[in-house]
Amino acid sequence: MENNIRHYKIQNRVRKQIEKECMDKIESLKSRGDYIDELDPFLNALFFSIHPDKLQEKTSRPVVGLFCIQAPFELFDAFKLQPFKLCGGSYEAQHLSTSKLPALACPIIKSTMGILNSDDHYRNVFKTIIIPTTCDWVVKFAELAEYNIPELHFMELPHIKENEKGEQRWLLELLELKRFLGKIMGIRLKRKDLLNSVNRYLAAWKYFNKLIELRRDNNISALLFTIIVNAFPFMEIENWTDTLKAVIKKYEMYKEKIKHRAIFLAGAPIVFPNLKMLDLIEEAGMNVTADDICSSERIFPGGACYDDTSEHGLMKALSDRYHKACICPTYADNTRRVNGIFNTLEENGINGVVYHVLKGCHPYDIESISVEKKIKDRGYRFIKIETDYVDEDRQNILTRLEAFNNTL
Amino acid sequence: MPAPDADKFCIHEMDYIWIEFKKHVKEKDGSLTQILRIRKSKGLKNRTGLSKFYNIKAVYNINREKEFYRAPIQYRNNEAEIKITAGKTSFFKVYVFVITETINYIAETSFYVFGSSKNPIHRDILRTELDFLPNLKIIYPEYNYWPQTGQEFKFLLGSDKVNFTVNDAKVIDKGNIETLKLSPDGKFSYIPPSDKLLDLQGISAFKGNILYFRMKSNNKITKLTYTLLLHRSRFANLRLKHGIALFVGTIIFFTFSVLIARKRSPVII
Amino acid sequence: MISKIRLIIQNISFIFLTYGGKLGIHLGYSLPCFSCPYVGGCAGNCYLMALQGNYGFEIAAADVFSTWGERALLIFILFLVLFMLLSKLWCGWICPFGTLQDWFTSLRRKLGIAETEFSWKTRDRQKIIKYILLAALIIIPLCIANFGLHSDFKMPFCQICPAKPIMPLFCGETRHLSLDFTNSITLSFTILSMVITGGLFVGIFFKDRFFCMFCPMLALMHIFSKIGFIHFKKSVNTCQGCGNCKRMCPVDIRDVYLEKENKDVLTEDCMLCLKCIESCPGDSVLSVKFFNLNIFSSSRKYLADKCGRLHGK
């Protein structure tokens, strides 16, 4: 009984700290000189990233927990499900999970577990959790969080992309996911619904690319860009697209180049409210105008173009796009990942890459070795920053980034 | 390609000359030469020796024009040959004739030669008139890729210069003699029957059926033959219904096969 | 936009090559596409007919160094010139039989029927068939002209080509759907023709450009593809391997997707439909050039705008 009371007291305290952390960040973003009101819906959506129950109320759709970015958003939309991206960015939330995890755990996993533990009802909010077997932390999360594993849906991600076996296996996983979602929703997916969802996301991608073009021209700060992309999984797609259109219209009217030097950011996810790296990069006189981060420009792959409008054809388009186009370092044959970086650096005249690694994140850490070599061999500048959600290393990182800026 | 069973065209009791088609030769400069052989029926051979036929003459005209050209006759191994060369696509009508006191023996035929050369061909133009030649007009069937078995041919005999009476009109097809029918419009009608042997030989294979006409005018008899160059019928053996049935049947079979294969594996064949 | 332009050009070419002959137009015997000479209004002959016939390999050894041989050589040179100018664009943009296959594909898509997929192994095994057909259509005429093979084996590929029964239907000619009972050879060929055409009909419906995977004209073009003026290049250092090009390719070419070293990616099955370039989200990763003049390059903006227009359709 005493333990229970203590548990609820801690839970309440941490939940309030999480909310405060989130609200403080929202306020600091709103007080920026370059903030525009059209971004308000995105910030509102980010509030749901720590309140899955409120997300369900807002969207009136059943909520499904989702790790990573290999399961297609289009499929959830076709089933009228709302995915809840299980990528925590809250440092405060880690207080509710640290004791349950190894010492050098991935900060995102710590944060996610903390958020889910911040309210006992949160476990009942999710209809299910979809887990592509990307990295070890994601694979073992359910066990660590003491979920009933048979109720969850694992998708065995083929770690080789460039062969037929990988291609076919991921398609079979998607077909199985479709069958699973149909079973939990009690409906059969209609081809027209899937086609409409795919087209909605293609339309969203069209505007997303316009935003990226503005970003490449150094017209938008990385922090504000990150609000937009981080809000993506917590909004209905049409709502997100309409809000994005309004933002683009505003930016196009008042195109103002940011005076900070353009750089490329690669590496581990940066998740609201932990925008420390972006804050420090800005403070060091640089602006991220391009990145290949899965919580940012890669939040959804877009470009799932198709010519076969049958259900199978659409599933194949999604399967290909969410598998082959993903450059997560979890893949064994990810050597062409740097080509995307080179293309962007060359096309946009950027000559510096900041590689962000979260302590405890093995895939990005491992891949940083080969990426660094390839980028330096091509004559570009490269810096690797390893950090987590704590604030103690801010000054150290800032000094290093300032020095890096001077070398560009 | 020589017509098969040429000797079968020689009938004992009838005397006539006729033209037999031999091969055509591709010349180096692109022109094409058609080789023809002048044949005598056995009935004629029994009456006169070959030497009497040194006064045999051959002429031809090109593309239905009025001029006649001499066709030199070459004798080889007791055979009399004519060679007609064309540098470009041309229609030839060849006349071979022997004039005696009582009987004129005339052999005619006509054919296309598809030459392909820019070099001019020297031809020996004939300055004399050939009044004795009857005018044999051939009316070809409407769809005439080339003369084929199974198609109706009509023949009209006449002459601007001499009055003929036609006493006999026959067609000789490898030893089979058939009398030609005279249709109400005054033309002779002939439908060459299908020839199984010709069908087996290939699309370019041909045979020459002989049309024989015995005519009289002013106490002179003219025995005229026309060698009708025939190919096998291009359409007589086509069965559209069978083809469509097979086509549709194949579509049904393959459609089911594909659907079954797709059912077994939704992903791949 | 490229696909719209292609659709217009394909349809115009189809009408021109199928009915242009009725206006007296004839572009010769050297066309590098399936402009079927059996069609009453054909405006130019498919070169394969010349290749198998008197203006090609149905030539006696004695006639090779004569005007007949020269004529065959001239027609071949004209074929080569026409091919060099437009390369495989003849296949993807002009060939009437290709256009017909695309119409079947559109019908299948409208009906929402999934395309049949082949495994990589099956697809690789299919590639040899077009070379076998090309060899047959060279060897058989040589045997007819020099070794006494029966003349009913003439035009061996035309006799089994699916274009022969199908394309003349557009001019009302049904004759080529018949079985020919003249002799056993003609009967065998016409049976084979109907079975192949029926099978390919089904294949063409369920698979994009199914016949093109076996087309001997493509095999012939591939032999000379290096000398064409059209080049299809990949910037191998900037391709991230997303696989859009492979998925959108009607003939399932995976070489463009997998290629990491060689910049020239005009492979044997490619018909330069440019769908891969249209669907590539990398800027200037794939390009088609006329000599060094850029005709069309991949662009993220182009793809995004094109995809974005699908919403609401």
Side-chain angles (χ1 to χ4, degrees), chain A residues 166-178:
Chain A
E167 185 182 292
Q168 294 307 320
R169 279 175 54 208
W170 191 240
L171 178 58
L172 288 170
E173 286 293 335
L174 281 203
L175 293 173
E176 185 53 35
L177 175 66
K178 177 180 74 107

Side-chain angles (χ1 to χ4, degrees), chain B residues 8-36:
Chain B
K8 284 190 185 164
F9 288 89
C10 297
I11 307 296
H12 289 279
E13 59 280 9
M14 291 162 72
D15 53 319
Y16 54 86
I17 59 170
W18 54 286
I19 299 172
E20 182 191 349
F21 281 85
K22 303 294 270 185
K23 59 182 178 177
H24 61 247
V25 173
K26 284 182 176 174
E27 308 293 350
K28 287 260 181 266
D29 68 350
S31 55
L32 206 71
T33 298
Q34 175 68 58
I35 299 174
L36 303 166

Side-chain angles (χ1 to χ4, degrees), chain B residues 243 246-255, chain C residues 34 97 101 129 132-133 136 155-166 176-177 179 187-205 210-212 214-216:
Chain B
L246 180 59
F247 180 56
V248 170
T250 310
I251 287 177
I252 293 169
F253 171 74
F254 278 110
T255 303
Chain C
F34 269 42
F97 196 60
Q101 292 178 77
I129 294 173
I132 292 172
L133 288 172
M155 302 290 183
F157 180 72
C158 283
Q159 291 203 58
I160 60 169
C161 177
K164 178 169 167 273
I166 302 300
H176 300 285
L177 285 167
L179 292 185
L187 184 61
S188 304
F189 266 114
T190 45
I191 287 174
L192 202 57
S193 168
M194 285 298 102
V195 169
I196 288 174
T197 303
L200 283 169
F201 228 61
V202 175
I204 285 164
F205 180 77
F210 182 64
F211 175 71
C212 296
F214 311 109
C215 180

